[in-house]
């Protein structure tokens, strides 16, 4: 059966739109919470506090990596129209962050069927249950923005991702940029 040309084009267009919407829904997001009583409209300059090593494991983040993370976070805030303050005393808001890593195991079971590819339609098929086990490191970066007057958190954003130990510098930079943009996608709140 031959379909009319416009039906084929409509089908291809529908598949393209479905693929595009599927790609859009896979945009990384962060979970965000904020204090609605805080006036975020007055925030212009944000200062980054030094990394608290008592929260973030020293083995999880080297000093070089911590610097790269701060640079990515600062870049995302600059994209959102904020300025980075070098002096904590003059900042409208203080940024603190920490990284939590956890080893996890992903166990999946699935059935696989094998059939004998002969002309015998009534020949038996065999089924087996397979198990796939994957070890991975889950990384969670938590960013708090603090009211400098009270020292209390008024904004928290959390981003999670699987981490690879053999990640190239380019892939690591892309992950930092993706995470930073996701962390501040809703900042400042309206």
């Amino acid at each position: 059966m031959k379909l009319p040309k416009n039906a084929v084009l409509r089908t291809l267009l529908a598949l393209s739109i479905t693929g595009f919407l599927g790609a859009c829904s896979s945009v990384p997001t962060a979970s965000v919470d904020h204090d609605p009583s805080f006036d975020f409209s007055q925030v212009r300059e944000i200062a980054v506090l030094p990394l608290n090593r008592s929260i973030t494991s020293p083995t999880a983040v080297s000093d070089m990596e911590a610097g790269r993370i701060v640079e990515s976070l600062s870049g995302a805030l600059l994209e959102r129209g904020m300025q980075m303050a070098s002096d904590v005393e003059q900042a409208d808001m203080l940024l603190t962050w920490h990284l939590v890593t956890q080893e996890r195991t992903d166990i999946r079971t699935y059935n696989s069927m094998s059939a004998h590819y002969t002309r015998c339609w009534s020949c038996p098929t065999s089924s087996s249950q397979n198990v796939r086990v994957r070890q991975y490191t889950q990384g969670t970066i938590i960013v708090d923005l603090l009211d400098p007057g009270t020292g209390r958190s008024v904004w928290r954003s959390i981003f999670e991702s699987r981490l690879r130990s053999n990640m190239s510098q380019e892939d690591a930079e892309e992950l930092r940029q993706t995470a930073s943009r996701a962390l501040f996608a809703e900042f400042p709140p309206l």
Side-chain angles (χ1 to χ4, degrees), residues 11-27:
T11 303
L12 287 174
L13 180 62
L15 289 172
S16 297
I17 290 172
T18 303
F20 176 74
L21 291 175
C24 290
S25 67
S26 66
V27 173

Side-chain angles (χ1 to χ4, degrees), residues 143-156:
V143 173
D144 283 303
L145 295 175
L146 312 173
D147 177 350
T150 64
R152 296 178 57 95
S153 178
V154 294
W155 168 275
R156 174 169 270 197

Side-chain angles (χ1 to χ4, degrees), residues 29 33 103 167 172:
T29 59
D33 189 17
E103 296 302 315
M167 192 177 291

Side-chain angles (χ1 to χ4, degrees), residues 40 43-46 77-84 187-188:
F40 288 93
V43 176
R44 298 286 178 257
E45 292 190 38
I46 299 173
L77 284 168
L78 290 170
E79 288 175 5
R80 305 293 299 168
M82 298 293 123
Q83 297 297 317
M84 300 311 296
F187 184 80

